[in-house]
Amino acid sequence: MIKTGVIGHPIAHSKSPLIHNHWIAQYGLEGSYEALDIPPEDLTKRLPELLRDEGYAGFNLTIPHKEIAMDICDVIDDTARAIGAVNTVWIQDNQIHGTNTDAFGFMENLHTTSGIGAALILGAGGAAKAVIYGLLQAGVMDIRIANRTRSKAQALATDPRISVVDWDNREQALIGADLLVNTTALGMDGQPALDIALDNLAEGATVCDIVYAPLMTDLLIRAQRRGNAVITGIGMLLHQARPAFEKWYGVLPDVSPLLIEKLSSSGLTGGSK
Ligand code: ATR
């Protein structure tokens, strides 16, 4: 029996139990995946106890634990270090290992970067870090970041291929972009829509939203209407879960139409894992 789960605070709206328990059943494994609500001040004590004393094989970590977990892990891989956040942990030889699967999730969902010379990323939070890391790894040569708080975008511009654009100039930065990615919370249920006119965006450009509730955000609806290819956020949520599941259960699961259907009809709320 391999026990796993997701730890967050709050955690009630997490879709991860639905996804991982679907795979446990699909692959006929002896396992369980639970949602654990642990406040940030308790994580440093509780995470090692759960892994070392209470028989858990590993966890996903979500808001607000991804950064704190960096200090709890004994071993952190290059991806988590580059992104500055851990979203997956597992125990091996009594050592707590950490990685980050969000960049993998974003890139798998994007499917291909062929033809992407320039990308405009809106937002500079944790999700933006993973998106930018994935795009850099894939060889995208011109990455523009626009964020309401410019200093946060500046902090992510650690590579010569990255440039920072003022939030007020985000529409001009669409000129020549092959990809637009919204990593802000704007457009999520309960939040205002993202305010950006798409007139400067090329017809062949792709628009990707990492918000998945609603699935078709105002941004994606407007982009689709003018003929751009659109990518919803549900795929990133599903694909980031795959390498985590593989760490714990030894199987890299697939994203089947049945799972997408199950998730879509489960009443998507919130916007995080
Ligand atoms: P995540 O880890 O999901 O990326 P986060 O770290 O809280 O979440 O980042 C949220 C992003 O949405 C930030 O880039 C934030 O901009 P600031 O850095 O200026 O806070 C952006 N965001 C949230 N509300 C916004 C709004 N009303 N207008 C513009 N940007 C907003």
Side-chain angles (χ1 to χ4, degrees):
M1 172 75 175
I2 300 176
K3 290 197 297 180
T4 55
V6 57
I7 302 175
H9 184 70
I11 198 66
H13 294 299
S14 174
K15 292 297 166 192
S16 291
L18 185 156
I19 297 169
H20 289 278
N21 284 312
H22 173 90
W23 285 330
I24 288 169
Q26 179 182 337
Y27 293 98
L29 301 167
E30 286 278 319
S32 67
Y33 186 99
E34 306 154 44
L36 277 69
D37 190 327
I38 296 178
E41 62 272 19
D42 293 349
L43 191 74
T44 306
K45 183 168 176 285
R46 284 299 288 141
L47 184 62
E49 284 174 356
L50 290 161
L51 291 167
R52 294 208 168 98
D53 310 327
E54 297 175 37
Y56 285 88
F59 291 100
N60 280 133
L61 298 166
T62 185
I63 294 169
H65 297 317
K66 291 189 194 185
E67 282 85 17
I68 314 166
M70 296 275 293
D71 299 328
I72 304 173
C73 291
D74 302 306
V75 184
I76 289 170
D77 73 2
D78 292 345
T79 308
R81 201 176 303 282
I83 297 171
V86 162
N87 79 340
T88 301
V89 296
W90 67 99
I91 188 128
Q92 196 178 319
D93 300 330
N94 210 36
Q95 298 232 293
I96 302 172
H97 291 250
T99 188
N100 190 309
T101 64
D102 285 335
F104 173 89
F106 174 74
M107 296 309 291
E108 283 283 298
N109 193 32
L110 190 58
H111 201 60
T112 174
T113 48
S114 93
I116 298 180
L120 173 62
I121 314 303
L122 301 177
K129 279 192 210 168
V131 166
I132 292 164
Y133 177 77
L135 293 174
L136 284 174
Q137 289 290 106
V140 175
M141 292 306 287
D142 174 358
I143 297 174
R144 309 158 186 182
I145 314 175
N147 190 51
R148 179 180 58 180
T149 311
R150 189 185 160 100
S151 58
K152 281 174 70 181
Q154 209 89 54
L156 301 193
T158 53
D159 186 286
R161 290 170 285 178
I162 302 175
S163 56
V164 175
V165 176
D166 273 343
W167 183 247
D168 288 343
N169 291 338
R170 60 195 181 280
E171 289 170 2
Q172 272 126 283
L174 286 173
I175 297 170
D178 308 296
L179 174 69
L180 167 65
V181 186
N182 174 43
T183 76
T184 74
L186 295 169
M188 194 185 290
D189 286 334
Q191 295 276 340
L194 175 68
D195 179 17
I196 185 169
L198 299 176
D199 307 279
N200 288 339
L201 191 64
E203 234 175 70
T206 298
V207 179
C208 181
D209 207 325
I210 69 152
V211 168
Y212 60 79
L215 210 49
M216 283 300 285
T217 57
D218 170 73
L219 169 70
L220 295 185
I221 292 168
R222 289 189 294 115
Q224 195 170 52
R225 209 172 278 154
R226 63 193 293 287
N228 291 106
V230 301
I231 300 179
T232 69
I234 201 173
M236 180 172 175
L237 174 71
L238 282 161
H239 285 287
Q240 63 76 29
R242 294 171 57 219
F245 190 88
E246 185 184 29
K247 288 279 181 222
W248 312 318
Y249 293 101
V251 180
L252 183 65
D254 67 358
V255 170
S256 63
L258 176 64
L259 177 55
I260 295 171
E261 169 53 30
K262 232 176 167 177
L263 194 59
S264 311
S265 61
S266 70
L268 290 169
T269 52
S272 73
K273 229 179 277 166

